Amino acid sequence: MVAFFVGAIWCQGAYWVVCAAFDSAVSGFFVSHFSSAQQQAINQRLGMDAFSITSLDDLNRLCRQFAENIVFENLDILSGHPIDDSLPALYNKLIERRRGGICFEINNLLCAVLEDNRMDVNRIAARMQVDSVLREQANHIALIVRLERREYLVDVGDARAMGGVMSLDGEISFQQLGVTYSVCSGESEYQLQLQGAVNETRYAFKPDAVTKASFDRAKAFIVSDPESVFHRLMIVSTVKDGNRYTLTEEHLIISDESGRQEQPY
C-alpha cells in the first residue's frame, strides 16, 4: 500500500512544494524534490522527459540535454553574488530564469533529478588540474551513478560541457568534438583523462560520497579570492549541434573536431 502526503514550506518568498511517498513494499520512504508542475518545467527546459530514466542510454541522453540546454557560466560570481546551491535557488535560476551556472549549481540540480528517478547517485569531490598541476584541495563537484552493475562518472557541470558518462572501470568512455573522455584508476584515486590532439588529466577524484557542505571552502575561494579563475575571467560555454560555443570578454570562440575559430564582437 502506498500512502502519499504533500507538504508546503515557505522558502525565499515563494511556496516550495515537497511531495513524499511511502512504499513499504518496494523502496521504503521516498521524498520527491519536485512537484509535478516543476517536473514539467524541467522537462520543457531540457527538451525530454527527465523523470523516466531507467537505462544507460537514458542517462546519456539526460546528460546530453543538460549540456546542450544549461550553459556553463560564472556571471553571478563576477557580479559579486555568492554561490547558492540550495534546491529552490537552483530551480529558480536554472529552470525558471533559464540561466546557467557552474559545477556546484548544474551538477547539484542533476543530482536532485536523478534522485527523483530513484537512482543510486552520490556527489563526489574532485581536484581540478590548473596550469598542469592538480590542486591540493577539492574544488569541483561531480556525481557517481550506479546503474546496471557498473559505476559511472557523471559531470554536466564542467566548462567542457560533457554530455556523456564514463564507467569507473574504464570500459565505457564517450567522445565529443574529437576528444575521448575516459576514467583511469591510480594507486589511491581515479582520474578523468582527455585524449585528443592533446592528452591531459582533467581532474582526480575518489568515488566516496560527500555532502554539499564539503564544498563551502571551495565556494568561498571561487567567489572571493583574486587567484580564482572564475573571479578573474568571464567563462560562458555550451555545446550544440556538434560545436562548442565559448564567450569571453572579447571573442566568441566556435570549436569543432577540426579546430577553433575566434570571432571578435
Side-chain angles (χ1 to χ4, degrees):
M1 178 178 180
V2 181
F4 296 90
F5 67 90
V6 177
I9 57 175
W10 186 257
C11 185
Q12 295 186 350
Y15 281 107
W16 186 259
V17 179
V18 178
C19 303
F22 178 75
D23 187 344
S24 58
V26 180
S27 58
F29 186 70
F30 174 73
V31 177
S32 175
H33 295 295
F34 306 104
S35 69
S36 66
Q38 291 163 346
Q39 289 183 357
Q40 290 176 11
I42 292 171
N43 290 343
Q44 184 177 26
R45 177 82 163 97
L46 297 177
M48 67 171 290
D49 184 355
F51 297 91
S52 298
I53 307 302
T54 60
S55 67
L56 181 59
D57 287 343
D58 293 339
L59 182 59
N60 269 310
R61 185 181 176 218
L62 180 64
C63 291
R64 184 170 63 251
Q65 294 302 108
F66 256 84
E68 292 188 355
N69 291 285
I70 300 182
V71 175
F72 183 96
E73 51 106 328
N74 66 331
L75 301 181
D76 276 359
I77 295 172
L78 293 176
S79 300
H81 299 299
I83 300 169
D84 187 348
D85 58 10
S86 67
L87 194 52
L90 298 181
Y91 180 84
N92 173 261
K93 180 181 179 182
L94 305 181
I95 304 302
E96 292 185 322
R97 294 163 55 203
R98 304 183 71 83
R99 288 278 309 280
I102 64 171
C103 65
F104 302 110
E105 298 166 308
I106 305 175
N107 279 333
N108 272 316
L109 179 67
L110 175 59
C111 186
V113 170
L114 292 174
E115 287 174 344
D116 268 19
N117 279 279
R118 303 197 187 197
M119 302 202 77
D120 186 357
V121 57
N122 65 263
R123 300 171 182 84
I124 61 166
R127 299 185 296 118
M128 297 289 292
Q129 180 165 273
V130 180
D131 297 328
S132 301
V133 177
L134 284 169
R135 288 292 176 92
E136 293 183 6
Q137 299 293 328
N139 57 351
H140 180 72
I141 185 174
L143 306 174
I144 296 293
V145 174
R146 295 162 190 86
L147 178 67
E148 299 172 358
R149 299 183 179 181
R150 264 198 168 111
E151 291 183 305
Y152 296 93
L153 174 65
V154 178
D155 187 357
V156 296
D158 186 280
R160 286 182 169 268
M162 292 183 284
V165 305
M166 303 134 281
S167 63
L168 296 197
D169 60 16
E171 294 294 321
I172 297 177
S173 60
F174 88 98
Q175 292 186 331
Q176 182 172 276
L177 299 175
V179 177
T180 299
Y181 296 77
S182 61
V183 174
C184 70
S185 59
E187 292 183 2
S188 60
E189 57 188 355
Y190 293 90
Q191 291 187 347
L192 172 59
Q193 298 284 342
L194 281 59
Q195 297 178 318
V198 177
N199 298 335
E200 63 177 292
T201 298
R202 184 63 173 169
Y203 55 70
F205 66 94
K206 295 181 180 180
D208 305 330
V210 297
T211 64
K212 285 184 180 181
S214 304
F215 298 97
D216 287 348
R217 180 179 176 184
K219 288 187 293 184
F221 171 82
I222 287 171
V223 170
S224 60
D225 197 301
E227 295 301 314
S228 166
V229 64
F230 293 115
H231 195 259
R232 291 184 284 113
L233 300 172
M234 182 177 78
I235 304 173
V236 181
S237 181
T238 188
V239 293
K240 200 77 171 178
D241 301 325
N243 297 319
R244 175 180 291 111
Y245 300 91
T246 304
L247 195 65
T248 71
E249 288 90 345
E250 299 178 347
H251 296 90
L252 170 64
I253 303 172
I254 304 175
S255 307
D256 58 22
E257 292 188 5
S258 63
R260 53 184 272 170
Q261 298 178 351
E262 293 188 4
Q263 301 177 2
Y265 63 89

